[in-house]
Amino acid sequence: MTSIVVVGSVNADLVARVPNLPVPGETVLADSMTVIPGGKGANQAVVAARLGGEVALIGAIGSDAFADSALVGLRDAGVRLDGVETVDGPTGVAQIWVDDQGENSIVVVPGANRAVDADVVARHVDLVAGADLVVLQGEIPLRGTEAAARACGGRILLNLAPVVPVAADVLALADPLVVNHGEAERLLEESERPVPESPFAVITELLALGPRSVVLTLGPAGAVVLEPAAGDEGPVVVPTPHVEAVDTTGAGDAFVGALAYRISQGDTLVDAARTAVRVGAFSVATPGAQPSFPTVDDVLPSLRG
């Protein structure tokens, strides 16, 4: 049995450093361009494995030149890859622009990730059913996400990034649902619920949608956690350490991967979030997504404290 199973996307990230993010109609000359492994599913799996988790990934790569590049970080981290299938066609690619302030704009071409449907999940159902924790996102077909959630024999971390219209029974299994503020707004709007200004009110509205617990990430402001089963009286604020951001690409995935690892180790959701904000903060101090993710030695004090 594998402790954590991630069902999600695998990409090659084409990262261009630019002085400023282009506005519509503007041409900007890049300072550099690199190809590094990425994809939300792969990123989250790498983080959890680097921190010490036993992790498997279910996903897909294409038959092109980007396939090997997309798997490098996963192999180096020791993630189990027998659930990653090879399909005809292109590997998923993310085109990422990063400006001098560390902000980014991302366009994702799903490629082989479109093949990660219910049939792929069914071929690896033993992995999903035997996991302590299954981690899901929104970058694979909805049928694949929902099939994995329904086959899970343990706990589900549902990171609705991007927001997709998951069925009510799947949302009810989320423990936790993890979204950032923009994703929360979209999820509430599509559910025809009010979108309050206060993060406390937002997370309360999210809980009313049916998940068992919620984590609302707020970038440099940290996160807010709401876990009724833990007996909390209300939302708990988890502040993040201050760092100078070099590149925010993958920071959300770093947070989710660390959160998943600590949940799998038995932490409460609030305690898991305390480690996750530190890991997310660590990741923005170095360019790239997977190259910026810490090992357990990098964040050992936060894992102890």
Side-chain angles (χ1 to χ4, degrees), residues 207-260:
L207 189 70
L209 295 178
R212 299 176 185 180
S213 58
V214 183
V215 178
L216 176 65
T217 63
L218 301 171
V224 182
V225 178
L226 185 55
E227 187 179 23
D232 295 331
E233 294 182 359
V236 178
V237 177
V238 180
T240 191
H242 174 73
V243 295
E244 293 296 329
V246 173
D247 182 356
T248 59
T249 305
D253 296 333
F255 179 96
V256 170
L259 190 76

Side-chain angles (χ1 to χ4, degrees), residues 100-124:
D100 288 342
Q101 287 69 51
E103 293 299 325
N104 64 65
S105 291
I106 303 174
V107 176
V108 176
V109 183
N113 295 307
R114 288 196 175 103
V116 189
D117 57 12
D119 291 338
V120 169
V121 173
R123 286 194 287 273
H124 305 283

